[in-house]
Amino acid sequence: DGGITQSPKYLFRKEGQNVTLSCEQNLNHDAMYWYRQDPGQGLRLIYYSQIVNDFQKGDIAEGYSVSREKKESFPLTVTSAQKNPTAFYLCASSAGGASGELFFGEGSRLTVL
Amino acid sequence: SQQGEEDPQALSIQEGENATMNCSYKTSINNLQWYRQNSGRGLVHLILIRSNEREKHSGRLRVTLDTSKKSSSLLITASRAADTASYFCATDYKAAGNKLTFGGGTRVLVKP
């Protein structure tokens, strides 16, 4: 089935460790996005990519890094520089960027111990 | 960042009643979208309304857009327990580039 797959669903990390969240899509979409969601809150944009080998910072990029080496993949690394990384992370893709519908994965919940 | 604000933050209704939630935004938009999120899950797209449209329907959903007031509303008619979820508006601001900005959401509880 076509869609977006995020892994892992749950992740625990010790302070000072980097972790990488996977996001893969088979929808042939050019645009991909990473959002962060804190409990009871809306989504905040971390990074987005409109085409392979190109990406832009969103509103809260500090402490995060991404790559877009393949159209299907947009992994997010949460670095040790991120002061408060415990959150729910959502990946999305779109055929038409913000002018069209975003398709979301099921999310990855990161907890820092 | 420029975020839409949603009102109310939470809503509790009985099954069969209508649910209305509002979204206000700050500057000119290309389009506005509504999404639904069940607890602990990803978001699902409900409806997109463009800046030159005033009203759209999809099943039991009705969305309006008033660009003069910079606001939108989502109406769910004849609600069901399965409509229990959080609902978010997302705006494609003209000045923001190719990205969506999400509001804080309205948490809807439909009691059977």
Side-chain angles (χ1 to χ4, degrees):
Chain A
D1 286 355
I4 297 186
T5 302
Q6 288 188 241
S7 62
K9 189 166 178 64
Y10 299 96
L11 185 60
F12 298 89
R13 180 193 107 174
K14 293 181 180 179
E15 282 192 22
Q17 288 181 334
N18 292 355
V19 292
T20 297
L21 308 180
S22 171
C23 178
E24 303 278 332
Q25 55 102 355
N26 61 4
L27 300 167
N28 200 34
H29 287 170
D30 285 317
M32 296 187 75
Y33 304 82
W34 274 106
Y35 288 91
R36 169 182 171 139
Q37 186 178 32
D38 292 289
Q41 303 295 313
L43 279 65
R44 291 184 289 169
L45 183 64
I46 304 172
Y47 269 98
Y48 64 110
S49 169
Q50 299 184 61
I51 198 167
V52 174
N53 292 322
D54 187 45
F55 49 83
Q56 289 79 40
K57 292 182 179 179
D59 301 314
I60 56 165
E62 186 174 350
Y64 299 98
S65 67
V66 293
S67 63
R68 188 82 188 278
E69 296 176 2
K70 298 186 299 181
K71 189 175 187 178
E72 305 79 27
S73 179
F74 191 41
L76 173 74
T77 296
V78 185
T79 76
S80 57
Q82 169 50 233
K83 295 287 185 272
N84 184 20
T86 294
F88 189 51
Y89 291 88
L90 287 156
C91 180
S93 72
S94 171
S99 63
E101 172 185 352
L102 262 60
F103 291 79
F104 281 84
E106 286 297 296
S108 293
R109 189 169 299 280
L110 172 63
T111 303
V112 174
L113 304 174
Chain B
S1 64
Q2 295 172 319
Q3 281 201 352
E5 294 189 4
E6 295 179 63
D7 170 57
Q9 289 188 324
L11 183 59
S12 180
I13 57 175
Q14 292 294 138
E15 210 165 21
E17 293 180 340
N18 295 344
T20 299
M21 60 211 82
N22 303 294
C23 171
S24 61
Y25 57 91
K26 295 190 169 86
T27 61
S28 296
I29 61 173
N30 294 312
N31 70 65
L32 186 145
Q33 303 183 32
W34 286 90
Y35 288 81
R36 167 196 166 117
Q37 183 184 34
N38 286 9
S39 181
R41 306 292 298 275
L43 277 70
V44 175
H45 181 262
L46 295 176
I47 201 163
L48 181 154
I49 187 164
R50 303 200 183 281
S51 60
N52 62 351
E53 297 175 310
R54 291 298 165 257
E55 187 171 314
K56 285 189 84 168
H57 296 256
S58 177
R60 293 183 296 111
L61 305 179
R62 173 178 169 253
V63 168
T64 63
L65 179 65
D66 187 335
T67 53
S68 67
K69 296 181 179 178
K70 294 186 174 57
S71 68
S72 174
S73 68
L74 170 66
L75 168 67
I76 305 172
T77 60
S79 63
R80 306 166 180 168
D83 293 328
T84 293
S86 291
Y87 293 83
F88 295 90
C89 68
T91 45
D92 174 17
Y93 286 110
K94 288 185 178 180
N98 200 15
K99 56 183 181 178
L100 284 180
T101 302
F102 283 80
T106 294
R107 284 162 288 288
V108 176
L109 172 63
V110 182
K111 294 178 282 189

